[in-house]
Amino acid sequence: MIAEIVLSIFAVAFLAYHLASSSRPAYLSLAVWAITVLALLTIWIPDFSTTLAHWMGIGRGADMIIYLWMAVSLLLFLFVRISLFRLEEKLTQLTRRIALASPLSPDKSASTLKLL
Amino acid sequence: MTQSLFIVIPAFNEGGVIATAVKDALSQTPTVIVVDDGSVDNTALAAHSSGAWVLRHPVNLGQGAALQTGIDFAIQQGASHVATFDADGQHDARDIQLMIEQMAHRGVDVILGSRFLGSSINMSTHRRWLLMCATLFTRITTGLRLTDTHNGLRLFSREAATKIRICQNRMAHASEILSEIARLGISYAEAPVTIRYTEYSRTKGQQSARGSLRIIKDLLIGALSR
């Protein structure tokens, strides 16, 4: 019972964290709700994961959970990488603005040039 | 020579060679822009002393980012043509004259330099094979029929330079430029140029198999981010 309660708290906390996020694309919300509901069903109905695994053509419920966790982890990694790309775009815009704000003409003195 | 030709040279820690590249470029136009991409050596000072405009990125972003910064500045300053040129001495600025003539003669907005139509000096067999694979990749992904898809010597009309936006900061920008040309339906042609490989340019870590995989990865992430 303790394990079920602790794991349920984690599942609900995961959902709550997502609901508290400012940008929530619809597909991501759907995925988070689905993961949370499946997690709670798996926690409180012991045979659920085995039934679902058999339906998916996998031998054991535990194996299904591992496979799904691997897939979710790879997807999460991809999302993080895409977020980093978008952050880099903002950094690039800022850096470019700084560079364009202070061009050094060949006619001007280079006294302001120093190692960055 | 067109007076509103701007030559953009992205540079990162090229203090030892940038002066030569700038002087070569100045033989073709009075307006050379060096974008110092967060160098920690005297690249900016050497470029300025040689007679170039200097723009400085406070942090290193990559050759693609530096090129876009330089192109933006050139457009702001009223350039009618923008040429991109490498800092490591691989290119010959005299080729730009031919590229301008080709652009006018063929009525296109982009001229892409091709070492396979021109000549390459001291190119390794490994690099030749990698470039051939890159050419095939470009043909499959963009439909563009080119002989050299990773040549830093390019000439853009003002219109093309304004339309094309380089979002890939690092080496994938070369493929991205071609994708943009295809996507936007910009007219283009190739012109023969000379690429000279030196010991220095080889140590700068140009194309390698791992670099090619990195380019594909960056292109994929860029596409998924849209």
Side-chain angles (χ1 to χ4, degrees):
Chain A
M1 179 58 73
I2 293 173
E4 279 98 341
I5 292 171
V6 170
L7 289 171
S8 296
I9 290 172
F10 274 120
V12 172
F14 171 66
L15 177 64
Y17 176 80
H18 170 73
L19 290 173
S21 301
S22 54
S23 61
R24 289 182 283 128
Y27 65 87
L28 194 59
S29 291
L30 190 62
V32 170
W33 273 104
I35 289 170
T36 306
V37 168
L38 282 173
L40 288 171
L41 285 172
T42 304
I43 291 165
W44 290 101
I45 305 174
D47 290 334
F48 176 76
S49 63
T50 305
T51 306
L52 187 60
H54 288 162
W55 180 75
M56 292 173 75
I58 300 170
R60 301 185 305 169
D63 291 343
M64 179 198 70
I65 290 170
I66 289 170
Y67 300 154
L68 286 177
W69 188 250
M70 282 167 58
V72 167
S73 298
L74 285 171
L75 279 173
L76 277 173
F77 172 77
L78 191 60
F79 281 133
V80 168
R81 189 61 191 85
I82 290 171
S83 295
L84 279 175
F85 182 85
R86 290 184 176 147
L87 191 61
E88 194 179 50
E89 283 188 317
K90 291 182 181 171
L91 174 65
T92 300
Q93 286 171 20
L94 184 60
T95 302
R96 183 165 295 140
R97 186 169 287 200
I98 291 171
L100 291 171
S102 310
L104 192 60
S105 162
D107 304 324
K108 294 258 165 51
S109 162
S111 59
T112 56
L113 277 175
K114 60 180 186 292
L115 288 178
L116 286 172
Chain B
M1 178 64 58
T2 309
Q3 288 306 303
S4 60
L5 165 69
F6 283 52
I7 297 178
V8 174
I9 306 177
F12 176 61
N13 291 342
E14 304 276 13
V17 296
I18 191 66
T20 305
V22 169
K23 284 173 183 157
D24 191 16
L26 283 171
S27 69
Q28 304 301 309
T29 179
T31 319
V32 174
I33 303 163
V34 169
V35 183
D36 174 12
D37 189 27
S39 300
V40 295
D41 67 357
N42 65 334
T43 296
L45 196 56
H48 184 262
S49 302
S50 305
W53 281 84
V54 174
L55 305 174
R56 301 184 85 189
H57 283 170
V59 294
N60 174 251
L61 293 175
Q63 191 181 53
L67 271 180
Q68 187 61 65
T69 298
I71 291 171
D72 283 356
F73 182 71
I75 297 297
Q76 272 180 16
Q77 298 298 310
S80 67
H81 295 78
V82 182
T84 64
F85 193 80
D86 282 357
D88 59 6
Q90 281 197 343
H91 295 145
D92 188 335
R94 289 172 296 182
D95 288 331
I96 297 175
Q97 169 65 38
L98 174 66
M99 294 167 85
I100 290 182
E101 290 167 6
Q102 285 286 309
M103 181 173 275
H105 174 67
R106 299 169 82 160
V108 296
D109 282 309
V110 177
I111 293 288
L112 302 165
S114 170
R115 77 201 80 193
F116 297 111
L117 294 179
S119 65
S120 55
I121 302 165
N122 296 328
M123 182 166 67
S124 67
T125 308
H126 173 248
R127 188 145 300 150
R128 188 180 296 272
W129 275 105
L130 268 177
L131 288 170
M132 284 167 62
C133 290
T135 302
L136 182 60
F137 177 80
T138 298
R139 191 168 296 189
I140 292 169
T141 55
T142 68
L144 297 179
R145 302 184 79 83
L146 298 168
T147 59
D148 190 349
T149 55
H150 268 253
N151 194 315
L153 189 50
R154 312 173 187 90
L155 179 68
F156 300 102
S157 68
R158 180 185 178 84
E159 187 180 345
T162 306
K163 282 182 184 173
I164 295 170
R165 292 301 301 175
I166 301 171
C167 299
Q168 289 285 347
N169 283 357
R170 303 218 172 260
M171 295 316 293
H173 75 275
S175 299
E176 186 188 30
I177 288 172
L178 300 178
S179 296
E180 286 292 278
I181 288 171
R183 185 180 69 85
L184 296 166
I186 296 174
S187 57
Y188 69 95
E190 286 187 298
V193 299
T194 300
I195 299 291
R196 193 184 313 110
Y197 289 89
T198 61
E199 206 53 51
Y200 175 77
S201 68
R202 274 194 279 266
T203 60
K204 284 293 286 188
Q206 297 278 320
Q207 288 279 330
S208 66
R210 185 184 289 186
S212 302
L213 284 175
R214 202 172 296 131
I215 288 171
I216 292 172
K217 180 208 72 177
D218 286 346
L219 289 171
L220 184 62
I221 295 296
L224 289 172
S225 301
R226 299 282 162 248

